[in-house]
Amino acid sequence: MTGSRVVALGHYQPAKVLTNDDLAAMVDTSDEWITSRVGIKTRHVGGPDEPVDELAAHAGAKALAAAGLQPSDIDLVLVATSTAIDRSPSMSARVAARLSMGSPAVMDINVVCSGFTHALAVADHTIRAGAATRALVIGADKMADIADWTDRTTCVLLGDGAGAAVVTAAPSAPDTPGGPGIGPVLWGSVPEMGNAVRIEGTPPRFAQEGQSVYRWATTQLPPIARKVCEKAGVAPEDLAAVVLHQANLRIIEPVARKIGAVNAIIARDVVDSGNTSAASIPMALSKLVERGEVASGAPVLLFGFGGNLSYAGQVIRCP
């Protein structure tokens, strides 16, 4: 039986950095107010000449280079994003064109903040079914384009960026917890609370019911994340790293603690990058790997949550 594994990662962020002091000159806020409530210090913001597909293509190119593959080697491109303005061509098709790929299948996946972990599961399932052999999975969002820069409760959260993973077929290894590299996904949603996170209107704007999201995330998600570990056959205390959606440091830290990953590195890229929605997990993981903080083959919990009050997680083996 064929499984799949992540063989390489890449990430990209626009050059412009927006600090808390910069925001304090725009809205009624301060570095102390932002830091104490969400833990964010800086975020990267793209300009009008940096569309989402450009961010995604940069991250994808880096992942391909790290994998030692050519763009023509990829037969499936999945882009998780909720900030694509145009309906067609899709972000995945535009990325394929930017990277001069051959004739891959292309598909966008919009599950907002849990988009990347959903897309990673789709790539894994597609490879297991024999419909693809090498996939480029990207999370990319340009949240600055949908921010309400007059709302101090939301504009301080958001940043832009992209993260990518190359996923390839791998022989199954039943004696290895988590299988050949990507463990089984656990995903779901709370549809009746979907309006707690919104991107609506013309032009579209981001809004959320912060307290509802905070209570849901900190109380309902830790048991689900532990079930993800159980499905993968990995005890929480054996995790080498935990990469949660980088929503807010006040959510990340209590959720990670309640999971019981007492020996794991906890990704805190939100401090430097803000909430980048679907980009946050692959970007944070790519940085951990780039810095050599997680050993190759070590088990890592990926767990996305947010928009639609959806969630998806899996344990993977670090590339």
Side-chain angles (χ1 to χ4, degrees):
M1 180 180 178
T2 298
S4 73
R5 63 191 179 104
V6 175
V7 296
L9 299 157
H11 64 275
Y12 179 81
Q13 292 173 277
K16 182 180 178 181
V17 174
L18 197 64
T19 68
N20 289 347
D21 289 336
D22 293 332
L23 283 171
M26 299 164 55
V27 293
D28 181 17
T29 191
S30 67
D31 176 63
E32 189 279 330
W33 191 92
I34 298 169
T35 303
S36 64
R37 284 163 176 78
V38 297
I40 299 169
K41 301 296 288 186
T42 60
R43 69 286 292 148
H44 291 247
V45 177
D49 58 341
E50 296 175 284
V52 177
D53 57 294
E54 180 176 321
L55 307 183
H58 281 308
K62 290 184 176 182
L64 286 170
L69 295 175
Q70 298 300 315
S72 58
D73 294 326
I74 298 298
D75 51 16
L76 173 65
V77 181
L78 300 175
V79 176
T81 186
S82 58
T83 52
I85 302 302
D86 300 325
R87 298 188 183 187
S88 182
S90 65
M91 287 296 105
S92 50
R94 288 177 171 173
V95 167
R98 282 184 179 273
L99 296 179
S100 300
M101 291 181 165
S103 54
V106 291
M107 190 187 332
D108 287 1
I109 294 177
N110 178 2
V111 204
V112 200
C113 307
S114 60
F116 178 79
T117 44
H118 276 82
L120 188 62
V122 171
D124 174 53
H125 298 165
T126 303
I127 289 171
R128 287 176 182 272
T133 56
R134 297 186 186 95
L136 181 61
V137 184
I138 303 173
D141 270 308
K142 196 176 176 192
M143 302 302 287
D145 280 355
I146 61 170
D148 179 352
W149 294 103
T150 66
D151 179 4
R152 73 169 189 165
T153 65
T154 57
C155 74
V156 302
L157 299 171
L158 307 177
D160 301 340
V166 174
V167 181
T168 68
S172 62
D175 57 332
T176 301
I182 298 179
V185 69
L186 179 59
W187 51 13
S189 66
V190 188
E192 64 272 20
M193 293 179 64
N195 283 335
V197 180
R198 303 179 299 280
I199 302 173
E200 295 177 332
T202 306
R205 289 290 176 260
F206 173 85
Q208 69 172 0
E209 297 169 12
Q211 287 303 311
S212 296
V213 174
Y214 175 82
R215 285 192 297 270
W216 171 70
T218 56
T219 61
Q220 302 302 309
L221 295 184
I224 298 173
R226 289 195 295 271
K227 288 181 182 177
V228 173
C229 297
E230 182 180 339
K231 289 190 72 169
V234 176
E237 58 268 24
D238 293 333
L239 291 168
V242 171
V243 185
L244 305 175
H245 165 50
Q246 302 292 290
N248 177 332
L249 203 59
R250 290 182 60 213
I251 292 176
I252 293 168
E253 291 181 335
V255 171
R257 184 175 61 252
K258 291 177 183 178
I259 290 171
V262 293
N263 300 310
I265 294 170
I266 308 302
R268 293 180 172 85
D269 188 50
V270 68
V271 175
D272 300 315
S273 302
N275 181 340
T276 56
S277 192
S280 77
I281 287 177
M283 200 159 64
L285 178 60
S286 178
K287 291 180 182 181
L288 288 178
V289 171
E290 185 176 75
R291 294 193 296 262
E293 295 184 31
V294 186
S296 178
V300 178
L301 171 65
L302 309 182
F303 194 75
F305 56 87
N308 314 293
L309 287 204
S310 59
Y311 56 85
Q314 58 271 100
V315 173
I316 72 164
R317 294 283 158 175
C318 187

